[in-house]
Amino acid sequence: MNQTMLGIIDATQSFDSIQQLTINRSVAAIPFAGRYRLIDFVLSNMVNSGITSVAIFPKDQYRSLMDHIEYGKQWDLNRKRDGLFFFPSAVDSQSEEFNVFRQYKNNIDYFLRSKQQYVLISNCYTVCNIDYQAILQQHIESHCDITEIAHNGKPMGMYIFNFSLLFDLITNYEKFGYTTIQDVVLDPSHHLQICRYEYEGYVAKINTIKDYYTHSLELLKPQVWKELFNQINPIYTKVKDEPPTKYMNGSRIKNSFIANGCKIEGEVENSIIFRSVNISKGTVVKDSIIMQKSQIGENCVLNGIILDKDVKVENNVILTGDYTTPYIVPKGTIQGALMNT
């Protein structure tokens, strides 16, 4: 029996609650865990589960996402047959006519060429390391129409079902009035058998600033990191050829993740530091997330902070936030002494 799956990543979601990190990028492209983007997790899970054809359907702000995934080489998806496909929306993202099934139908040729018997549809903002083949096996054995993946009783935004059902939904979505696969699952009027698979591993849904901050620092727990990042099912990402991080005399690091290419002269505690970040002498960074290529001057104090990419913090600046409301510095901005918070 053909038990291959087609992978579809619904990258159309946007949330006002995380808008401060999506001004210049989509949710799928939000940096996470020092060197990854949110989309890396679902994309890697699909590849590790034997999926060789993946379609990404974004809505807007997808330039950064396209730059990150390129042709799918890092996920072994730059291939002659199947591979990675990118289908931007032809409809204005703010239009009331926007509909995920419409976006699928506008690219119906892709589905007509697909030979897989089953399909997996997933959102782009759920962080986990999951084996979809085990879920597919339960789906087949239980004779389900749709299997919804859940964690602690809550839907994870991931669904496995027969390709024939997807094709029927795409071609008849106007008749049914559906916009997403979730609409199908929640509709009490259909006669489909909806099953649920309870996933017991680590799961982090990133759709608010608080979730992003909390789950980022949660990675500093060894048991969480080991479950999410393992050698059997690795999480792939775009490779950056950067030198090892330099730890200068007087630097002090405690319970933190430091990516490569950094230069650390100050103190870092309980923080996530992305690639190519400079932290100057006399500076203390605590309970913070510092994204790629940010530069922090001398004698600064950053506590409870999220610095987006390419931020420059000048000397003697104090920035403070907390676990409930971390202070966010927008991408590419400069924080001077007169802007202390």
Side-chain angles (χ1 to χ4, degrees):
M1 178 184 293
N2 176 12
Q3 295 187 6
T4 57
M5 282 188 288
L6 179 70
I8 297 177
I9 300 177
D10 180 359
T12 64
Q13 301 97 338
S14 60
F15 306 99
D16 291 341
S17 53
I18 203 168
Q19 190 175 24
Q20 289 167 287
L21 294 179
T22 57
I23 296 174
N24 300 295
R25 60 172 73 93
S26 65
V27 173
I30 292 176
F32 189 75
R35 57 194 298 261
Y36 301 90
R37 303 291 184 116
L38 289 184
I39 198 171
D40 291 341
F41 295 88
V42 63
L43 195 53
S44 297
N45 289 336
M46 287 182 173
V47 170
N48 292 335
S49 300
I51 296 175
T52 59
S53 182
V54 178
I56 301 174
F57 289 88
K59 183 168 65 171
D60 51 17
Q61 300 281 54
Y62 49 78
R63 186 203 61 78
S64 178
L65 180 60
M66 291 183 68
D67 177 71
H68 178 70
I69 62 174
E70 295 179 326
Y71 300 104
K73 178 181 178 181
Q74 307 301 333
W75 299 268
D76 192 29
L77 289 173
N78 58 332
R79 48 181 67 212
K80 293 181 178 179
R81 293 185 179 180
D82 292 335
L84 184 66
F85 300 86
F86 200 87
F87 298 113
S89 173
V91 179
D92 183 353
S93 62
Q94 303 302 319
S95 171
E96 294 181 359
E97 297 181 358
F98 183 81
N99 182 305
V100 175
F101 278 128
R102 180 194 294 270
Q103 195 170 349
Y104 296 163
K105 191 171 185 178
N106 288 341
N107 297 280
I108 195 66
D109 287 348
Y110 168 74
F111 295 99
L112 289 171
R113 292 195 302 267
S114 300
K115 304 299 182 183
Q116 291 80 5
Q117 184 176 351
Y118 301 94
V119 61
L120 163 68
I121 292 182
S122 174
N123 65 45
C124 61
Y125 55 88
T126 298
V127 175
C128 60
N129 194 323
I130 187 170
D131 179 10
Y132 293 120
Q133 280 294 331
I135 304 170
L136 174 62
Q137 195 61 40
Q138 175 182 296
H139 173 82
I140 295 171
E141 293 174 355
S142 301
H143 304 288
C144 302
D145 291 310
I146 299 176
T147 294
E148 179 182 55
I149 306 172
H151 177 70
N152 291 335
K154 299 180 180 179
M156 290 174 57
M158 301 176 180
Y159 309 88
I160 290 177
F161 48 104
N162 284 29
F163 180 85
S164 58
L165 175 58
L166 173 64
F167 196 82
D168 184 45
L169 292 170
I170 291 174
T171 54
N172 295 289
Y173 80 91
E174 292 173 301
K175 173 184 175 182
F176 297 133
Y178 299 137
T179 60
T180 66
I181 187 63
Q182 186 180 23
D183 292 345
V184 181
V185 173
L186 296 177
D187 184 4
S189 66
H190 63 60
H191 301 289
L192 299 172
Q193 181 177 351
I194 309 297
C195 302
R196 174 169 284 191
Y197 180 95
E198 185 69 22
Y199 176 66
E200 297 180 353
Y202 175 81
V203 173
K205 295 182 75 172
I206 311 296
N207 53 19
T208 70
I209 293 296
K210 182 180 179 181
D211 288 339
Y212 177 79
Y213 180 76
T214 301
H215 291 306
S216 291
L217 296 187
E218 197 172 43
L219 297 175
L220 298 174
K221 299 178 181 178
Q223 66 272 25
V224 173
W225 184 271
K226 290 178 181 178
E227 182 174 345
L228 195 56
F229 300 97
N230 61 71
Q231 295 181 350
I232 299 175
N233 295 306
I235 304 299
Y236 304 100
T237 190
K238 183 177 181 179
V239 173
K240 301 279 189 178
D241 295 324
E242 291 165 321
T245 287
K246 293 182 179 179
Y247 298 94
M248 311 305 289
N249 289 337
S251 63
R252 179 175 173 270
I253 314 298
K254 181 179 179 181
N255 190 39
S256 297
F257 175 81
I258 314 289
N260 52 321
C262 298
K263 181 180 178 182
I264 310 296
E265 296 180 272
E267 299 182 14
V268 180
E269 181 178 346
N270 199 43
S271 297
I272 303 286
I273 310 298
F274 282 69
R275 298 180 175 112
S276 300
V277 169
N278 285 353
I279 299 177
S280 302
K281 62 182 179 180
T283 288
V284 177
V285 176
K286 184 177 180 181
D287 297 330
S288 296
I289 301 162
I290 313 299
M291 294 190 194
Q292 187 173 339
K293 295 183 179 179
S294 290
Q295 311 293 312
I296 305 174
E298 297 181 357
N299 303 314
C300 297
V301 176
L302 276 67
N303 193 336
I305 305 301
I306 299 175
L307 289 193
D308 208 327
K309 293 177 60 178
D310 300 311
V311 168
K312 180 179 179 181
V313 179
E314 297 183 343
N315 297 338
N316 306 308
V317 171
I318 299 176
L319 300 174
T320 58
D322 55 50
Y323 276 91
T324 304
T325 54
Y327 182 72
I328 302 174
V329 181
K331 177 181 178 181
T333 57
I334 298 175
Q335 293 286 299
L338 296 178
M339 303 175 187
N340 293 356
T341 298

